[in-house]
Amino acid sequence: MKTKRAVFFLLMILGFAMQAQQSVEKEVDSLAIKNSSQLKFNKKQLIIPAVFITYGIVGLESDFLKGINAEVKEEVNENIDHKLTIDDFSQYAPAVSVYALGALGIKGKNNLRDKTIILTTSYLIMGLTVESLKKITHVERPDGSSFNSFPSGHTATAFMGAELLYQEYKDVSPWYGISGYVVAAGTGAFRMYNNRHWLTDVVAGAGIGILSTKAAYWLYPSVNKLLSSKKHQNRKSAFLPYYDGKQFGFGLVSSF
């Protein structure tokens, strides 16, 4: 099937990202404190997400990349029998897996509170970035339904969760992280299969998702310090999930 070419392209990107990321993480981990909630900042960690995001942004004006988008769309559409809405659920699978593994007694890098703070921070960064870019770029979707195609929010959400899964469980088994990235790549592929996004949307979404989670780990000490401030010892905070029928997210509730 011609659609295999698009899936192969995504898997190739995924493989490159995992290989490069693992080499960077080995270097960074040698400087990190075991079981620390903080991900040690290293500018090399920016390479993979920066390449993905740059590819997507360049694709907004590049005739060559637009041609690739059109070719992928044409090939995918030739083989579409009916839409599969699995991507509406698979986008959350990697993040949910982090909590599922914890519930099964498989300990990750952080406890429930810390990883929830990190997840919430990454979700806020990702959500604000995606929604801002959608409004600024005003790119029409492949199916012509709206002008908010760039970048792919579903893909960004999936890769955000995949990076969280990788960071939390890479020391337990690298297969947890690999499985998360496979699901994330599949989510991106289904967004194209369902004619909802261009290839550039998906690649940029992947970069935003990965970078959002990395940024959340880097920001964790500051966020945790803010939530644990001695000036607010009577403050009680909770992160509550919500679902409005279309989108899933987290909200912060504080009492004094």
Side-chain angles (χ1 to χ4, degrees):
M1 293 175 63
K2 292 183 177 180
T3 51
K4 289 183 179 179
R5 205 193 288 184
V7 175
F8 173 77
F9 188 88
L10 276 178
L11 292 178
M12 182 177 66
I13 292 175
L14 171 62
F16 172 73
M18 289 298 296
Q19 184 178 9
Q21 176 165 266
Q22 286 176 358
S23 64
V24 170
E25 293 294 347
K26 286 180 181 178
E27 179 179 340
V28 175
D29 285 346
S30 65
L31 302 174
I33 300 174
K34 189 176 182 180
N35 295 326
S36 172
S37 297
Q38 183 178 6
L39 175 65
K40 205 77 168 171
F41 176 79
N42 187 309
K43 60 183 180 181
K44 291 182 179 180
Q45 296 172 344
L46 298 173
I47 296 175
I48 299 303
V51 168
F52 285 4
I53 295 171
T54 300
Y55 176 89
I57 292 176
V58 171
L60 294 174
E61 299 296 335
S62 169
D63 291 335
F64 174 73
L65 295 183
K66 286 181 179 180
I68 294 178
N69 280 346
E71 181 181 349
V72 171
K73 169 182 161 57
E74 182 179 353
E75 293 181 354
V76 170
N77 287 346
E78 286 180 359
N79 296 278
I80 291 180
D81 295 322
H82 59 277
K83 291 186 177 181
L84 299 174
T85 58
I86 188 174
D87 45 307
D88 288 335
F89 304 97
S90 64
Q91 62 175 318
Y92 304 119
V96 171
S97 297
V98 174
Y99 291 91
L101 290 170
L104 292 173
I106 304 176
K107 294 183 178 180
K109 180 184 295 184
N110 296 295
N111 58 34
L112 178 63
R113 174 186 178 275
D114 293 341
K115 63 188 177 187
T116 301
I117 291 175
I118 294 169
L119 174 60
T120 304
T121 303
S122 61
Y123 193 90
L124 289 173
I125 295 172
M126 182 275 296
L128 288 172
T129 303
V130 168
E131 291 305 316
S132 296
L133 286 174
K134 282 181 178 293
K135 292 180 180 179
I136 293 172
T137 57
H138 203 61
V139 176
E140 185 177 14
R141 290 184 183 271
D143 62 3
S145 62
S146 60
F147 286 83
N148 60 349
S149 189
F150 182 88
S152 170
H154 282 64
T155 307
T157 300
F159 275 88
M160 177 197 74
E163 176 67 12
L164 179 69
L165 184 62
Y166 172 75
Q167 293 297 337
E168 288 296 317
Y169 286 97
K170 64 181 179 179
D171 295 329
V172 178
S173 172
W175 288 105
Y176 290 123
I178 292 173
S179 62
Y181 271 99
V182 169
V183 172
T187 300
F190 273 110
R191 294 308 285 166
M192 292 188 295
Y193 176 84
N194 289 328
N195 205 26
R196 295 291 290 165
H197 282 289
W198 306 101
L199 177 61
T200 45
D201 301 339
V202 169
V203 175
I208 292 171
I210 294 171
L211 185 58
S212 295
T213 297
K214 288 185 180 297
Y217 276 96
W218 299 332
L219 292 171
Y220 171 78
S222 299
V223 176
N224 185 48
K225 184 178 180 180
L226 178 64
L227 295 175
S228 305
S229 175
K230 292 183 179 180
K231 295 180 180 180
H232 304 292
Q233 291 183 345
N234 295 324
R235 172 188 292 177
K236 295 182 180 180
S237 301
F239 292 92
L240 302 177
Y242 71 84
Y243 180 68
D244 62 6
K246 293 182 178 180
Q247 293 292 327
F248 173 83
F250 286 88
L252 172 63
V253 178
S254 296
S255 61
F256 298 86

